[in-house]
Amino acid sequence: MADNSKTEDAASDSVEAAKGTGDKKEKLADQVMQNPQVLAALQERLDNAPHTPSSYIETLPKAVKRRIDALKQLQVKCAHIEAKFYEEVHDLERKYAALYQPLFDKRRDFITGGAEPTEAEAEWHSENEEEEKLAGDVKNKVVIEEKEAGAAEETNPKGIPDFWFTIFRNVDMLSELVQEYDEPILKHLQDIKVKFSEPGQPMSFTLEFYFEPNDYFTNSILTKTYKMKSEPDKTDPFSFEGPEIVDCEGCTIDWKKGKNVTVKTIKKKQKHKGRGTVRTITKQVPNDSFFNFFSPIKVSGDGESLDEDSECTLAIDFEVGHFFRERIVPRAVLYFTGEAIEDDDNVCILLRLS
């Protein structure tokens, strides 16, 4: 028992001695860091070191690194506050979407011919008004001459023909998705709306595409919902830059017989192994089409990663959905006339020059 007691006392003395040594080292380090000559030597060492962020951080004293770690803790807290900010922004978007909607409904009526704008509603003074007036006078003269010659023409079509289809054709991001056989279908598109998730529901938005009755499918509305996340990643909180789309969900298109443009039928010759006879079989394979937009790649819920091609396809899908929400739907007329496209091009040029 006596030997055990002596051993415990010796261990306790060793711990106290080590603690005392540690305290002395910390005091010594503080004293060194307050010495101007030491600081000057440290600065010279830093100046001569390779100028990369990581190499610079590695040269810092332990006490300074500790303070940097504290700054990172603060940064994580800032990211969580920023996430709350974007959640409230989403609530504001929902609130103001309700205020925009009556204007968008009137826009739809003017496009489809459901209503005619009044004189006051149609009054617009453009920058090239004089040139347009001159062109209009020339056009009126031609029309009068044609009427006098007995060539009467229909000069007042219903609404604004091919409004949304023209936008698809004008915007490169969309036109790249549209195949020639998609075009007659898109000419039946009458409106696109954005719906935001309800209060208390997970953050998301839904694109609604409204079609008039047509020969291709029976749906009057096709939908695409984008699910979003507004919270820092636990494993990489510093990558947070606001809400991001994390998944999307399309809808089933009820194609009429023989009208499904998302598949094509191919014929293939097949040889029977036993008899050696050859027969021709037909099978359906996927076909490039804008309407594949409504059958997106599903993000695996079990954490299984996608291959590179699938990730690229999904990234483009998310980008297109975001562009519809942020640019196309709110500013449709400017993409129809091309003015918004010119603005986008000018912004891109300025960014490249900066």
Side-chain angles (χ1 to χ4, degrees), residues 138-282:
V138 172
K139 184 178 179 180
N140 289 336
K141 184 179 179 182
V142 172
V143 171
I144 291 171
E145 289 174 353
E146 287 178 347
K147 283 185 176 180
E148 289 175 350
E153 292 184 5
E154 176 60 54
T155 59
N156 187 19
K158 183 180 179 182
I160 305 177
D162 300 340
F163 180 84
W164 291 101
F165 169 64
T166 301
I167 293 174
F168 272 74
R169 195 167 50 188
N170 287 347
V171 178
D172 289 343
M173 185 186 295
L174 302 181
S175 64
E176 291 172 359
L177 302 176
V178 176
Q179 308 300 318
E180 186 176 350
Y181 39 81
D182 292 327
E183 294 180 1
I185 309 176
L186 289 171
K187 290 185 177 184
H188 294 285
L189 181 59
Q190 295 186 309
D191 198 13
I192 305 176
K193 293 181 180 180
V194 179
K195 293 288 183 69
F196 293 93
S197 53
E198 294 297 323
Q201 296 295 316
M203 187 183 292
S204 68
F205 67 91
T206 300
L207 300 174
E208 297 180 341
F209 294 75
Y210 289 76
F211 287 84
E212 65 183 349
N214 58 78
D215 296 330
Y216 299 91
F217 46 73
T218 58
N219 312 65
S220 58
I221 306 174
L222 300 181
T223 62
K224 180 77 168 285
T225 298
Y226 288 88
K227 301 173 184 179
M228 305 175 70
K229 183 182 75 170
S230 181
E231 61 182 66
D233 191 310
K234 292 180 180 179
T235 60
D236 186 17
F238 304 130
S239 65
F240 181 74
E241 294 182 348
E244 60 176 336
I245 298 172
V246 294
D247 196 6
C248 57
E249 188 174 303
C251 67
T252 300
I253 301 178
D254 298 319
W255 295 99
K256 294 182 179 180
K257 187 176 181 180
K259 298 293 186 178
N260 187 351
V261 295
T262 65
V263 295
K264 60 183 177 182
T265 302
I266 62 171
K267 292 183 178 181
K268 186 177 180 181
K269 290 185 177 181
Q270 188 179 68
K271 187 176 181 179
H272 193 280
K273 291 181 179 180
R275 295 192 295 270
T277 56
V278 177
R279 63 172 182 169
T280 300
I281 62 170
T282 60

Side-chain angles (χ1 to χ4, degrees), residues 22-39:
D23 291 341
K24 288 178 182 179
K25 285 183 178 180
E26 288 186 9
K27 289 179 181 179
L28 181 60
D30 290 338
Q31 290 174 0
V32 169
M33 288 305 295
Q34 292 172 12
N35 188 319
Q37 292 179 336
V38 173
L39 290 175

Side-chain angles (χ1 to χ4, degrees), residues 118-125:
T118 64
E119 289 298 322
E121 288 173 330
E123 185 178 356
W124 182 258
H125 301 288

Side-chain angles (χ1 to χ4, degrees), residues 280-315:
T280 300
I281 62 170
T282 60
K283 60 183 294 188
Q284 286 191 330
V285 296
N287 196 27
D288 289 338
S289 168
F290 165 73
F291 291 90
N292 289 322
F293 180 73
F294 300 98
S295 302
I297 296 172
K298 289 299 294 178
V299 177
S300 175
D302 56 10
E304 185 179 342
S305 59
L306 299 171
D307 60 60
E308 188 174 341
D309 288 343
S310 296
E311 284 186 354
C312 182
T313 300
L314 203 58

